[in-house]
Amino acid sequence: MALSANGVTIECIQGDITRQDDVDAVVNAANAELMSGGGVAGAIHRAAGSALAEECKPLAPIKPGEAVITGAHNMPNQYVIHVLGPVYGVDEPAATLLASCYREALDLAESKGLRSIAFPAISTGAFGYPMDHAADVASRTVLAKSAELESVELIRWVLFSEEDREVHQRIFDLMFNA
Ligand code: ADP
Protein backbone atom coordinates (compact mmCIF):
# COMPACT_ATOMS: atom_id res chain seq x y z
CA MET A 1 0.00 0.00 0.00
CA ALA A 2 1.29 3.47 -0.88
CA LEU A 3 2.24 5.87 1.90
CA SER A 4 2.18 9.62 1.88
CA ALA A 5 4.17 12.37 3.64
CA ASN A 6 4.00 16.10 2.94
CA GLY A 7 2.18 15.46 -0.35
CA VAL A 8 4.77 12.93 -1.56
CA THR A 9 3.64 9.38 -2.37
CA ILE A 10 5.98 6.59 -1.35
CA GLU A 11 5.63 3.02 -2.67
CA CYS A 12 7.47 -0.26 -2.07
CA ILE A 13 6.98 -2.71 -4.94
CA GLN A 14 8.54 -5.97 -6.05
CA GLY A 15 10.14 -5.68 -9.48
CA ASP A 16 13.08 -4.82 -11.70
CA ILE A 17 14.60 -1.32 -11.56
CA THR A 18 15.16 -1.40 -15.34
CA ARG A 19 11.43 -1.85 -15.99
CA GLN A 20 10.03 1.28 -14.36
CA ASP A 21 8.69 2.90 -17.53
CA ASP A 22 6.51 5.45 -15.72
CA VAL A 23 9.15 7.25 -13.64
CA ASP A 24 11.37 10.15 -14.70
CA ALA A 25 14.56 8.81 -13.13
CA VAL A 26 15.88 5.50 -11.85
CA VAL A 27 18.71 5.21 -9.36
CA ASN A 28 21.72 3.00 -10.00
CA ALA A 29 23.45 1.26 -7.08
CA ALA A 30 26.72 2.09 -8.81
CA ASN A 31 30.38 1.28 -8.25
CA ALA A 32 32.95 4.07 -7.81
CA GLU A 33 34.02 3.85 -11.46
CA LEU A 34 30.40 4.12 -12.70
CA MET A 35 30.93 1.03 -14.82
CA SER A 36 28.78 -2.01 -15.47
CA GLY A 37 29.07 -4.87 -12.99
CA GLY A 38 26.82 -7.24 -11.09
CA GLY A 39 23.38 -6.55 -9.65
CA VAL A 40 21.68 -3.24 -10.37
CA ALA A 41 24.66 -1.64 -12.16
CA GLY A 42 24.92 -4.53 -14.60
CA ALA A 43 21.19 -4.53 -15.30
CA ILE A 44 21.08 -0.76 -15.85
CA HIS A 45 24.14 -0.67 -18.13
CA ARG A 46 22.78 -3.57 -20.19
CA ALA A 47 19.39 -1.90 -20.54
CA ALA A 48 20.82 1.57 -21.27
CA GLY A 49 23.44 0.42 -23.79
CA SER A 50 27.14 1.26 -24.12
CA ALA A 51 26.54 5.01 -24.50
CA LEU A 52 25.81 5.14 -20.77
CA ALA A 53 29.35 4.01 -19.89
CA GLU A 54 30.74 6.64 -22.25
CA GLU A 55 28.73 9.37 -20.56
CA CYS A 56 29.76 8.09 -17.13
CA LYS A 57 33.53 8.01 -17.78
CA PRO A 58 34.32 11.69 -17.15
CA LEU A 59 32.13 11.73 -14.01
CA ALA A 60 34.05 8.92 -12.24
CA PRO A 61 35.24 8.14 -9.68
CA ILE A 62 32.63 9.04 -7.07
CA LYS A 63 32.87 8.61 -3.30
CA PRO A 64 30.54 6.73 -0.93
CA GLY A 65 27.43 8.85 -0.30
CA GLU A 66 27.76 10.79 -3.58
CA ALA A 67 25.40 10.93 -6.56
CA VAL A 68 25.75 12.00 -10.20
CA ILE A 69 23.15 12.20 -12.96
CA THR A 70 23.24 11.11 -16.61
CA GLY A 71 20.84 10.44 -19.43
CA ALA A 72 19.06 7.09 -19.55
CA HIS A 73 19.91 6.26 -23.20
CA ASN A 74 17.96 3.11 -24.22
CA MET A 75 16.08 2.92 -20.94
CA PRO A 76 12.50 4.26 -20.85
CA ASN A 77 13.33 7.00 -18.31
CA GLN A 78 14.74 10.52 -18.72
CA TYR A 79 17.66 10.11 -16.34
CA VAL A 80 19.77 7.65 -14.39
CA ILE A 81 21.05 8.89 -11.03
CA HIS A 82 24.14 6.95 -9.95
CA VAL A 83 24.93 6.66 -6.25
CA LEU A 84 27.75 4.89 -4.46
CA GLY A 85 26.47 3.21 -1.33
CA PRO A 86 28.75 2.30 1.58
CA VAL A 87 30.36 -1.14 1.68
CA TYR A 88 28.98 -2.48 4.94
CA GLY A 89 31.66 -2.81 7.64
CA VAL A 90 34.17 -0.81 5.56
CA ASP A 91 32.83 2.66 4.71
CA GLU A 92 31.86 4.44 7.93
CA PRO A 93 29.62 5.80 9.26
CA ALA A 94 27.51 3.48 7.12
CA ALA A 95 24.07 4.88 7.97
CA THR A 96 25.19 8.47 7.32
CA LEU A 97 26.69 7.53 3.95
CA LEU A 98 23.60 5.53 2.93
CA ALA A 99 21.30 8.41 3.92
CA SER A 100 23.49 10.75 1.90
CA CYS A 101 22.93 8.59 -1.21
CA TYR A 102 19.16 8.98 -0.87
CA ARG A 103 19.37 12.72 -0.11
CA GLU A 104 21.79 13.52 -2.93
CA ALA A 105 19.72 11.53 -5.44
CA LEU A 106 16.57 13.42 -4.42
CA ASP A 107 18.44 16.74 -4.64
CA LEU A 108 19.52 15.91 -8.21
CA ALA A 109 15.93 14.94 -9.12
CA GLU A 110 14.71 18.27 -7.72
CA SER A 111 17.42 20.18 -9.59
CA LYS A 112 15.98 18.79 -12.85
CA GLY A 113 12.39 19.42 -11.78
CA LEU A 114 11.53 15.69 -11.90
CA ARG A 115 8.25 14.37 -10.55
CA SER A 116 9.08 10.71 -9.99
CA ILE A 117 12.06 8.56 -9.05
CA ALA A 118 12.64 4.85 -8.38
CA PHE A 119 15.32 3.48 -6.04
CA PRO A 120 16.72 -0.02 -5.59
CA ALA A 121 17.75 -1.08 -2.06
CA ILE A 122 21.17 0.59 -2.24
CA SER A 123 24.11 -1.31 -0.65
CA THR A 124 22.03 -4.42 0.20
CA GLY A 125 23.53 -6.68 -2.48
CA ALA A 126 27.27 -7.01 -3.05
CA PHE A 127 27.91 -4.27 -0.47
CA GLY A 128 26.35 -6.36 2.31
CA TYR A 129 24.14 -3.86 4.17
CA PRO A 130 21.52 -5.79 6.18
CA MET A 131 18.14 -5.35 4.44
CA ASP A 132 16.18 -4.27 7.52
CA HIS A 133 18.78 -1.72 8.64
CA ALA A 134 18.99 -0.33 5.11
CA ALA A 135 15.18 -0.03 4.96
CA ASP A 136 15.24 1.81 8.27
CA VAL A 137 17.75 4.35 6.93
CA ALA A 138 15.82 4.71 3.66
CA SER A 139 12.46 5.31 5.35
CA ARG A 140 13.91 7.74 7.93
CA THR A 141 15.72 9.73 5.26
CA VAL A 142 12.80 10.03 2.87
CA LEU A 143 10.42 11.01 5.66
CA ALA A 144 12.77 13.80 6.78
CA LYS A 145 13.40 14.91 3.20
CA SER A 146 9.78 14.89 2.03
CA ALA A 147 8.99 18.30 3.56
CA GLU A 148 11.52 20.08 1.35
CA LEU A 149 10.61 18.41 -1.96
CA GLU A 150 8.95 20.72 -4.48
CA SER A 151 8.88 18.85 -7.79
CA VAL A 152 9.20 15.21 -6.70
CA GLU A 153 5.78 13.73 -5.92
CA LEU A 154 6.37 9.97 -6.29
CA ILE A 155 9.22 7.96 -4.74
CA ARG A 156 9.24 4.23 -5.40
CA TRP A 157 11.42 1.53 -3.86
CA VAL A 158 11.80 -1.39 -6.26
CA LEU A 159 12.79 -4.55 -4.41
CA PHE A 160 14.02 -7.55 -6.31
CA SER A 161 12.27 -10.16 -4.16
CA GLU A 162 8.87 -10.26 -2.48
CA GLU A 163 10.60 -10.95 0.83
CA ASP A 164 12.68 -7.76 0.51
CA ARG A 165 9.53 -5.83 -0.43
CA GLU A 166 7.77 -7.08 2.70
CA VAL A 167 10.71 -6.02 4.89
CA HIS A 168 10.58 -2.53 3.36
CA GLN A 169 6.80 -2.24 3.57
CA ARG A 170 6.79 -3.21 7.25
CA ILE A 171 9.55 -0.77 8.19
CA PHE A 172 8.15 2.07 6.07
CA ASP A 173 4.67 1.52 7.57
CA LEU A 174 6.12 1.77 11.08
CA MET A 175 8.13 4.90 10.25
CA PHE A 176 5.29 6.71 8.51
CA ASN A 177 2.69 5.84 11.11
CA ALA A 178 4.86 6.66 14.13
P1 ADP B 1 25.22 -2.77 -3.93
O1 ADP B 1 26.57 -2.99 -4.57
O2 ADP B 1 24.94 -1.29 -3.65
O3 ADP B 1 24.99 -3.65 -2.75
P2 ADP B 1 23.66 -4.47 -5.76
O4 ADP B 1 23.33 -4.09 -7.17
O5 ADP B 1 24.62 -5.58 -5.54
O6 ADP B 1 24.16 -3.08 -5.08
O7 ADP B 1 22.32 -4.81 -4.96
C1 ADP B 1 21.44 -3.87 -4.41
C2 ADP B 1 20.07 -4.50 -4.25
O8 ADP B 1 19.40 -4.49 -5.50
C3 ADP B 1 20.06 -5.94 -3.77
O9 ADP B 1 19.03 -6.07 -2.78
C4 ADP B 1 19.72 -6.74 -5.02
O10 ADP B 1 18.97 -7.92 -4.73
C5 ADP B 1 18.85 -5.77 -5.77
N1 ADP B 1 18.80 -5.92 -7.24
C6 ADP B 1 19.65 -6.58 -8.07
N2 ADP B 1 19.26 -6.44 -9.36
C7 ADP B 1 18.14 -5.67 -9.34
C8 ADP B 1 17.25 -5.18 -10.35
N3 ADP B 1 17.43 -5.44 -11.64
N4 ADP B 1 16.18 -4.42 -9.95
C9 ADP B 1 15.97 -4.15 -8.64
N5 ADP B 1 16.78 -4.57 -7.64
C10 ADP B 1 17.84 -5.33 -7.99
Side-chain angles (χ1 to χ4, degrees):
M1 202 187 66
L3 297 161
S4 159
N6 297 300
V8 181
T9 299
I10 289 115
E11 302 173 341
C12 300
I13 68 161
Q14 187 274 321
D16 183 330
I17 195 74
T18 66
R19 298 284 170 85
Q20 306 303 310
D21 301 16
D22 59 334
V23 297
D24 297 330
V26 293
V27 174
N28 180 15
N31 46 63
E33 299 304 324
L34 302 176
M35 290 291 108
S36 187
V40 170
I44 284 183
H45 277 268
R46 275 193 301 278
S50 58
L52 178 61
E54 286 303 313
E55 189 183 355
C56 282
K57 249 183 218 161
L59 303 175
I62 62 169
K63 296 195 190 76
E66 283 183 355
V68 293
I69 190 164
T70 67
H73 300 276
N74 294 339
M75 290 185 63
N77 317 97
Q78 289 180 51
Y79 296 99
V80 176
I81 297 174
H82 310 258
V83 303
L84 181 61
V87 176
Y88 196 70
V90 174
D91 299 315
E92 298 289 352
T96 306
L97 294 170
L98 184 58
S100 170
C101 290
Y102 285 115
R103 273 199 303 271
E104 286 209 10
L106 288 168
D107 285 340
L108 284 172
E110 285 277 311
S111 75
K112 299 286 186 190
L114 306 187
R115 295 171 61 180
S116 52
I117 180 168
F119 286 100
I122 299 164
S123 281
T124 63
F127 287 1
Y129 212 116
M131 192 63 67
D132 52 344
H133 291 199
D136 186 69
V137 172
S139 58
R140 221 175 264 287
T141 306
V142 77
L143 184 56
K145 189 84 183 158
S146 60
E148 56 181 82
L149 298 176
E150 289 178 357
S151 66
V152 173
E153 53 194 38
L154 172 68
I155 308 176
R156 178 180 296 159
W157 265 266
V158 180
L159 294 317
F160 219 23
S161 74
E162 178 55 23
E163 189 186 341
D164 294 345
R165 191 202 71 78
E166 281 168 17
V167 168
H168 277 71
Q169 189 73 56
R170 177 173 52 78
I171 289 169
F172 275 66
D173 282 347
L174 281 173
M175 189 68 65
F176 281 71
N177 296 321

